[in-house]
Amino acid sequence: MNDETETVGDVLEKRGFTRRAFLQLCAAVSATLALSPADAAEMARRLQYAPRPTVIYLSYQECTGCLESLTRSFSPGLASLIFNDISLAFNDTLQAAAGKAAEAAKDGAMKKAWGKYILIVDGSVPLDKGGVYCTVAGRSAVSDLKHAASGAAAVVAVGTCAAFGGLPYATPNPTGAVPVSEIVRDRPIINVSGCPPIAEVITGVIVYYTTFGLPALDHLRRPTIFYANSIHDRCYRRPFYDRGMFAKTFDDEGARQGWCLFELGCKGPVTHNACPTMKWNGGTSFPIESGHPCLGCSEPGFWDKGGFYRPLSAPTGHWSRAGVIGGAAAAGAVVGLGVAAVARARQDRARKNSHTDPNKKNPQP
């Protein structure tokens, strides 16, 4: 249980952190969050004197993938801050206690930090039949969430299920699942979408809120420090897209050469996330780099939008019918295809000229 007067700096000092080590920690965290050196210094100043916050982590209709992602944060300092310095007071998957002891620990932590704790919610919330499809300690998820949110300073909806409904929300939605935002109306909500979100994005958002307060959010309540750009904006395959060079199958020559996966259903142009820059598994890779198109998992309703491998430009695609794909993306595909057609025509003429006039060593198109 937290001492209300204890600060993050106090905890770090008890753990043997020197001033130099603390500044290095803040610099590493700031780099992960793409903050400036000035922000790193400000983070160090604020964190040192910030009260050690309590974090309550509740799980409802989910697969535990988001929590698995959180526990695999490779960024220096972030996981340490979450698990050792910020005080994860309740999580029914990670904690040793169970049953009545676990519920007593949660209630005690919430009561002591009422109005100040950060509430993390993982999973959607079912409403059908009075919420019977998800119950915890004899209480429905919707009732449990309303009570926990009423004492929270802010709510972090981790994963697309909590942020937008996710898989349980997909048609036909037999449990009447809804995202957290349809239940909680009177507290700040930060949506950290993804199926699952990148580990460092989850921990980074919590550390940012602890240090600076509510981050700037987009129209879907996602922090712009991680969700401002589309996958397409930062994708290393973008030059192939611009030149109209698309893989047609997963095993053709284009796929082997790393060409754009747009025609294999990549949702990168309409998906906002930090995958191309932060990547996964300690910055090792991300789906497109591994040869698989983006599924659009950090966007609302991605399960129901016409199939994972249907191109965005397909006339029967739900992404395009819903107006999700912007004119720029569609125009880019057309321009890219046009560039490719012109390039092929020039190559054909060059080959023809080289065959008809053997004296031309460098035929011009």
Side-chain angles (χ1 to χ4, degrees), residues 17 37 45 71 76 104 157-158 176 186 192 200-201 225 232 248 257 272 281 288-289 302 348 357:
F17 266 72
R45 186 185 69 80
T71 61
V158 168
D186 59 350
V192 184
E200 288 77 16
V201 172
I225 51 176
H232 190 64
K248 307 297 182 182
Q257 295 297 322
H272 294 77
N281 297 323
I288 292 174
E289 192 171 350
F302 83 101
D348 290 342
D357 188 351

Side-chain angles (χ1 to χ4, degrees), residues 40-53:
E42 181 65 9
M43 173 178 282
R45 186 185 69 80
R46 293 193 183 197
L47 269 183
Q48 183 174 2
Y49 301 107
R52 187 187 184 201

Side-chain angles (χ1 to χ4, degrees), residues 170-171 177 225 232 278 280:
T171 303
I225 51 176
H232 190 64
M278 299 195 72
W280 295 78

Side-chain angles (χ1 to χ4, degrees), residues 79 146 188 199 202 223 226 309 351:
K146 286 180 177 179
I202 303 173
F226 297 115
Y309 302 107
R351 282 194 295 269

Side-chain angles (χ1 to χ4, degrees), residues 50-120:
R52 187 187 184 201
T54 295
V55 176
I56 305 293
Y57 191 120
L58 301 180
S59 301
Y60 299 128
Q61 285 185 310
E62 45 80 28
C63 67
T64 314
C66 297
L67 182 60
E68 289 281 351
S69 181
L70 172 61
T71 61
R72 284 158 174 75
S73 176
F74 283 78
S75 180
L78 283 179
S80 173
L81 279 172
I82 294 300
F83 293 111
N84 298 321
D85 309 323
I86 288 181
S87 179
L88 184 60
F90 178 84
N91 178 275
D92 52 11
T93 302
L94 297 178
Q95 66 190 26
K100 292 182 178 180
E103 289 303 305
K106 179 180 73 172
D107 292 342
M110 288 169 53
K111 183 178 180 180
K112 189 168 185 179
W114 193 259
K116 301 176 183 178
Y117 58 79
I118 300 170
L119 178 65
I120 298 179

Side-chain angles (χ1 to χ4, degrees), residues 130-299:
V132 69
Y133 293 107
C134 184
T135 60
V136 181
R139 183 162 54 184
S140 70
V142 62
S143 174
D144 190 53
L145 173 58
K146 286 180 177 179
H147 173 66
S150 65
V155 179
V156 180
V158 168
T160 298
C161 290
F164 307 131
L167 177 58
Y169 187 76
T171 303
N173 191 359
T175 67
V178 298
V180 170
S181 59
E182 290 197 22
I183 305 297
V184 180
R185 305 282 189 176
D186 59 350
R187 291 292 182 273
I189 296 177
I190 306 171
N191 285 331
V192 184
S193 60
C195 192
I198 300 169
E200 288 77 16
V201 172
I202 303 173
T203 52
V205 166
I206 298 170
V207 172
Y208 187 97
Y209 179 82
T210 301
T211 308
F212 299 109
L214 195 69
L217 305 176
D218 68 9
H219 67 292
L220 295 174
R221 296 176 173 164
R222 299 175 300 190
T224 56
I225 51 176
F226 297 115
Y227 295 92
N229 297 108
S230 72
I231 302 294
H232 190 64
D233 291 335
R234 302 291 180 88
C235 183
Y236 76 101
R237 296 181 189 242
R238 177 66 182 268
F240 293 108
Y241 173 93
D242 292 338
R243 297 202 301 268
M245 301 171 72
F246 303 106
K248 307 297 182 182
T249 67
F250 284 103
D251 60 352
D252 67 8
E253 184 61 25
R256 286 190 286 271
Q257 295 297 322
W259 291 6
C260 180
L261 302 174
F262 183 85
E263 294 189 6
L264 294 177
C266 184
K267 306 303 188 294
V270 294
T271 301
H272 294 77
N273 211 330
C275 299
T277 51
M278 299 195 72
K279 302 187 180 182
W280 295 78
N281 297 323
T284 302
S285 181
F286 71 109
I288 292 174
E289 192 171 350
S290 300
H292 195 282
C294 169
L295 300 180
C297 76
S298 57
E299 298 299 317

